[in-house]
Coordinates of all heavy atoms in Angstrom, one line a residue:
Chain K
I184 N 35.6 158.2 210.1 CA 35.2 156.8 210.2 C 36.5 155.9 210.1 O 36.4 154.9 210.8 CB 34.3 156.6 209.1 CG1 33.0 157.3 209.2 CG2 34.0 155.1 208.9 CD1 31.9 157.0 208.2
S185 N 37.4 156.4 209.4 CA 38.7 155.5 209.3 C 39.4 155.5 210.6 O 40.0 154.4 210.9 CB 39.7 155.9 208.3 OG 40.3 157.1 208.5
K186 N 39.2 156.6 211.5 CA 39.9 156.6 212.8 C 39.1 155.4 213.7 O 39.7 154.9 214.5 CB 39.6 157.9 213.4 CG 40.8 158.8 213.4 CD 40.6 159.8 214.5 CE 41.4 161.0 214.3 NZ 41.2 162.0 215.1
L187 N 37.8 155.3 213.4 CA 37.1 154.4 214.1 C 37.5 153.0 213.8 O 37.6 152.0 214.6 CB 35.6 154.4 213.8 CG 34.7 155.3 214.6 CD1 33.2 155.0 214.0 CD2 34.7 154.7 216.1
L188 N 37.9 152.7 212.5 CA 38.2 151.4 212.2 C 39.5 150.9 212.5 O 39.8 149.8 212.6 CB 38.2 151.2 210.6 CG 36.7 151.4 210.0 CD1 36.9 151.6 208.4 CD2 36.0 150.2 210.4
K189 N 40.4 152.0 212.8 CA 41.8 151.6 213.3 C 41.8 150.9 214.6 O 41.0 151.4 215.5 CB 42.6 152.8 213.3 CG 44.0 152.8 212.5 CD 44.9 153.8 212.8 CE 44.5 155.2 212.4 NZ 44.8 155.3 211.0
P190 N 42.5 149.9 214.9 CA 42.5 149.4 216.2 C 43.2 150.4 217.2 O 44.4 150.5 217.0 CB 43.3 148.1 216.1 CG 44.1 148.3 214.8 CD 43.3 149.1 213.9
K191 N 42.4 150.9 218.1 CA 42.9 151.8 218.9 C 43.1 151.2 220.3 O 43.0 149.9 220.4 CB 42.0 153.0 219.1 CG 40.6 152.7 219.5 CD 39.6 153.7 219.4 CE 38.3 153.3 220.0 NZ 37.7 152.3 219.4
H192 N 43.5 152.0 221.4 CA 43.6 151.4 222.6 C 42.3 150.8 223.1 O 41.2 151.4 223.2 CB 44.1 152.3 223.7 CG 43.0 153.5 224.0 ND1 42.8 154.5 223.2 CD2 42.2 153.6 225.0 CE1 41.9 155.3 223.6 NE2 41.5 154.8 224.8
T193 N 42.3 149.5 223.2 CA 41.0 148.8 223.4 C 40.7 148.7 224.9 O 41.6 149.0 225.8 CB 41.1 147.4 222.9 OG1 42.2 146.8 223.6 CG2 41.4 147.4 221.5
T194 N 39.5 148.5 225.2 CA 39.1 148.4 226.4 C 38.8 146.9 226.9 O 38.1 146.5 227.8 CB 37.7 149.1 226.8 OG1 36.8 148.7 225.7 CG2 38.0 150.7 226.8
Y195 N 39.4 146.1 226.1 CA 39.3 144.5 226.5 C 40.1 144.4 227.7 O 41.2 144.9 227.9 CB 39.8 143.7 225.3 CG 39.1 143.8 224.1 CD1 39.8 143.9 222.9 CD2 37.8 143.8 224.0 CE1 39.1 144.0 221.6 CE2 37.1 143.8 222.9 CZ 37.7 143.9 221.7 OH 37.1 144.0 220.5
I196 N 39.6 143.6 228.5 CA 40.3 143.2 229.7 C 40.9 141.8 229.5 O 40.1 140.9 229.1 CB 39.4 143.2 231.0 CG1 38.9 144.7 231.1 CG2 40.2 142.8 232.2 CD1 38.1 144.9 232.4
G197 N 42.2 141.5 229.7 CA 42.7 140.3 229.5 C 43.0 139.9 228.0 O 42.7 138.9 227.5
V198 N 43.5 140.9 227.3 CA 43.9 140.5 226.0 C 45.0 139.6 225.9 O 46.1 139.8 226.6 CB 44.3 141.9 225.2 CG1 45.0 141.6 223.9 CG2 43.2 142.8 225.1
P199 N 44.9 138.6 225.1 CA 46.0 137.5 225.1 C 47.3 138.2 224.6 O 47.4 139.0 223.8 CB 45.5 136.5 224.1 CG 44.5 137.2 223.2 CD 43.9 138.2 224.2

Side-chain angles (χ1 to χ4, degrees):
Chain K
I184 294 187
S185 73
K186 257 200 201 174
L187 265 182
L188 290 173
K189 234 196 286 282
K191 55 192 191 301
H192 65 284
T193 61
T194 48
Y195 296 134
I196 298 184
V198 168

